[in-house]
Amino acid sequence: MAQLWGGRFTKQTDELVYAFNQSLKFDRRLFNQDIRGSKAHAEMLAKQGILTAEEKDLIVGGLDALKAKVDSGELKIEGEYEDIHSFIEANLTDMIGDAGKEVHTGRSRNDQVALDMRLYIRDEIDAIAEELHDLLSVILSIMDRNRETFMPGFTHMQKAQPVTLAHHFGAYFEMFRRDRERLLSIRERNNVCPLGSGALAGTTYPLDRDMTAELLGFDGSCENSMDGVSDRDYVIEFLDSLAITMMHLSRLSEEIITWNSNEYQFIDLDDTYATGSSIMPQKKNPDIAELIRGKTGRVYGALLSMLTTMKGLPLAYDKDMQEDKELTFDAIDTTKGCIRLMAGMLETSKFNADRMARSCQGGFANATDAADYLVRKGMPFRDAHGVIGRLVLTCIRKNCRMDDLPLEDYRKESPLFDSDIYEAIALKTCVDRRTTKGAPGAIDEEIRNAKAYLDNTEA
Ligand code: ARG
């Protein structure tokens, strides 16, 4: 058991306790961040005269060599080490001798792990923002190709008013755009370096905290050392952001599942993104969308776990915080994977434009437009609403659409109706007339803005 402590102990740690406490099997993912942090710390110690230039060169060279060994697979991150920090210090000391024991001067694992997690999450924010950018590009191209693909818009899962596929996907574009912006704002708000906080009360060495912060790409160092080692708000904000992204992915999945049903048939999933049944040969199931919907619960779980873990912790560091890692890593893998799969599934899917247009024509999705027609002819909207309501009833009795109802039936309800009513309630008219900002008739502007957003934020 390679541990960084033991001087005051007279007995070996119990095996079960050792296994329970050991975090190497999961915090090994912080290897690169730990190396980066240790190099910056050593540079700063040398500049402050706490390490000699030779010691610093040995340490920095040793850390680079250790990383090369791990990257090449020559050295595996495993074995009897308590955590990734012990693994690195022990292997560094094996490689460069006593200088390796100097790297921890003026540092505690408490500020070290806080730094590693911040760096890790910052890296992942950048990676996930890029994944979201890719997903947004796929959505934008669907919007671009489907400005005239009519479909019913729903409220309460009832046909409400006609929209277009471009407009429907425009709503998801906004959701994922906000997700991306939310992540970036979390990055900005939390970009301060905890290194130098020590165990909780700083150190007696003359550290230059601003220098380490700058070397590691932070905007500054944290103001309070006790907060520095015990703050996990950035983990919680990050998980919250992933949970919201998963909620959006899950809503879209739910729509895809509905659209893929035998009743709707709005979408045809590509064979590469669907699965079959072991017993029913006819099946083509939307398992990927269902799994994305299902995995949303896991990410919510991570957020709730972390909130619960933190809620009773007195200042400053407590080992409970080690629990942040596995659930954060799992939430990252899950969300990243789901974003990528959603992009692939959408990119390969075909939308059934005829089926969607036909669905628009049933269900009286143009009833509001018929009422608006009467308003244009001078009738107050509330009266027009009543007239059209009665006409809908007539259609239901006659089993026909408003588009096919004879003019004399219209005229029985109001003399304001003329033969131009049919043009006024045609699908294309219903969409084209809705030109308020953000409406389906103003989709060109919406698409222009979406495109400008993606162009200006190219990764
Ligand atoms: N593995 C710990 C964590 O993830 C970091 C080590 C700090 N441990 C300690 N006993 N002070 O939070």
Side-chain angles (χ1 to χ4, degrees):
M1 294 179 194
Q3 288 169 156
L4 298 173
W5 43 271
R8 64 100 63 219
F9 287 76
T10 55
K11 295 187 200 165
Q12 276 283 328
T13 316
D14 178 90
E15 287 287 340
L16 259 183
V17 171
Y18 181 77
F20 187 65
N21 186 53
Q22 199 207 32
S23 54
L24 184 68
K25 54 188 173 299
F26 50 86
D27 64 18
R28 59 202 296 284
R29 276 174 71 152
L30 300 175
F31 176 77
N32 285 332
Q33 286 73 18
D34 208 81
I35 295 275
R36 249 152 81 197
S38 295
K39 281 172 68 177
H41 184 61
E43 294 285 357
M44 181 275 293
L45 290 178
K47 200 209 96 195
Q48 296 301 94
I50 302 164
L51 287 182
T52 65
E54 296 75 49
E55 285 168 330
K56 185 264 290 180
D57 288 342
L58 266 176
I59 290 173
V60 170
L63 288 166
D64 282 337
L66 180 58
K67 178 166 156 47
K69 271 186 168 184
V70 166
D71 287 350
S72 71
E74 185 189 333
L75 179 66
K76 300 237 174 314
I77 306 179
E78 59 189 19
E80 299 282 287
Y81 303 95
E82 185 181 350
D83 52 29
I84 190 63
H85 323 297
S86 320
F87 171 87
I88 289 177
E89 195 177 309
N91 279 282
L92 180 68
T93 306
D94 280 353
M95 288 165 69
I96 64 168
D98 276 356
K101 298 178 183 168
E102 307 268 8
V103 68
H104 209 52
T105 313
R107 191 175 69 172
S108 155
R109 277 184 297 166
N110 297 353
D111 58 352
Q112 190 178 358
V113 77
L115 169 71
D116 291 358
M117 267 311 261
R118 263 184 213 261
L119 287 174
Y120 193 89
I121 287 181
R122 203 176 67 181
D123 291 345
E124 286 300 333
I125 283 179
D126 293 342
I128 296 170
E130 233 180 283
E131 295 287 350
L132 285 169
H133 196 280
D134 290 350
L135 174 61
L136 286 166
S137 306
V138 172
I139 292 178
L140 179 63
S141 90
I142 293 176
M143 292 168 71
D144 204 15
R145 281 179 278 121
N146 290 283
R147 297 173 200 236
E148 298 260 304
T149 307
F150 303 113
M151 66 182 290
F154 296 85
T155 61
H156 316 275
M157 281 297 275
Q158 307 278 314
K159 286 175 197 174
Q161 289 169 349
V163 294
T164 58
L165 192 62
H167 190 237
H168 196 113
F169 267 99
Y172 284 101
F173 188 96
E174 292 309 307
M175 290 180 231
F176 295 120
R177 182 223 299 256
R178 283 196 295 275
D179 290 345
R180 190 173 176 279
E181 292 298 312
R182 188 177 301 108
L183 275 176
L184 297 178
S185 77
I186 290 168
R187 186 195 204 289
E188 204 180 308
R189 183 165 43 257
N190 292 288
N191 201 28
V192 288
C193 186
L195 213 56
S197 298
L200 78 163
T203 82
T204 54
Y205 298 96
L207 306 186
D208 181 348
R209 296 194 58 202
D210 290 338
M211 175 182 171
T212 340
E214 202 185 317
L215 284 176
L216 292 167
F218 289 104
D219 298 327
S221 47
C222 63
E223 291 291 337
N224 180 292
S225 62
M226 292 178 81
D227 183 50
V229 294
S230 66
D231 169 28
R232 292 296 180 275
D233 290 2
Y234 58 97
V235 179
I236 293 173
E237 283 192 52
F238 175 62
L239 291 173
D240 175 63
S241 173
L242 298 188
I244 295 175
T245 298
M246 287 302 296
M247 178 267 288
H248 292 151
L249 288 170
S250 184
R251 291 184 77 176
L252 181 49
S253 295
E254 169 69 18
E255 303 224 64
I256 290 171
I257 294 160
T258 309
W259 292 350
N260 184 64
S261 67
N262 303 133
E263 282 66 27
Y264 273 73
Q265 295 173 36
F266 282 7
I267 196 173
D268 192 11
L269 298 177
D270 194 69
D271 280 3
T272 52
Y273 276 84
T275 49
S277 156
S278 62
I279 176 170
M280 297 166 282
Q282 83 281 13
K283 283 291 195 108
K284 184 167 162 185
N285 295 328
D287 283 22
I288 302 310
E290 288 171 354
L291 271 173
I292 294 174
R293 190 177 59 181
K295 284 178 190 290
T296 302
R298 259 165 100 131
V299 179
Y300 289 4
L303 171 61
L304 211 64
S305 273
M306 197 54 202
L307 282 167
T308 312
T309 296
M310 293 305 294
K311 86 187 231 324
L313 298 192
L315 293 181
Y317 178 84
D318 302 277
K319 192 66 175 250
D320 314 45
M321 290 182 207
Q322 178 167 290
E323 284 294 305
D324 64 356
K325 309 214 171 34
E326 284 163 290
L327 53 88
T328 300
F329 297 153
D330 184 68
I332 289 169
D333 294 345
T334 304
T335 310
K336 238 162 102 179
C338 289
I339 297 171
R340 199 172 300 164
L341 281 158
M342 179 58 84
M345 181 164 56
L346 291 178
E347 206 168 19
T348 53
S349 290
K350 290 199 177 57
F351 293 92
N352 191 342
D354 288 347
R355 181 90 194 171
M356 288 191 275
R358 252 181 290 132
S359 168
C360 265
Q361 276 147 356
F364 309 105
N366 49 5
T368 315
D369 298 83
D372 289 344
Y373 169 93
L374 289 176
V375 171
R376 278 199 300 279
K377 302 238 166 169
M379 188 182 286
F381 180 79
R382 195 47 58 213
D383 296 339
H385 188 286
V387 168
I388 303 300
R390 285 191 292 280
L391 282 169
V392 166
L393 209 54
T394 310
C395 288
I396 292 172
R397 286 201 190 106
K398 294 191 154 203
N399 191 23
C400 73
R401 307 176 313 164
M402 296 202 62
D403 313 64
D404 303 324
L405 189 70
L407 191 56
E408 60 259 36
D409 286 310
Y410 277 104
R411 282 187 180 281
K412 268 184 218 152
E413 289 296 339
S414 165
L416 293 176
F417 283 113
D418 245 317
S419 57
D420 58 350
I421 176 63
Y422 299 105
E423 167 63 22
I425 60 169
L427 205 42
K428 189 165 157 46
T429 319
C430 295
V431 169
D432 287 352
R433 276 241 170 88
R434 291 188 157 70
T435 53
T436 38
K437 182 182 158 68
I443 195 68
D444 292 344
E445 188 195 344
E446 192 178 326
I447 289 178
R448 258 198 314 280
N449 292 341
K451 193 167 166 358
Y453 173 77
L454 288 186
D455 289 346
N456 294 334
T457 53
E458 208 70 72

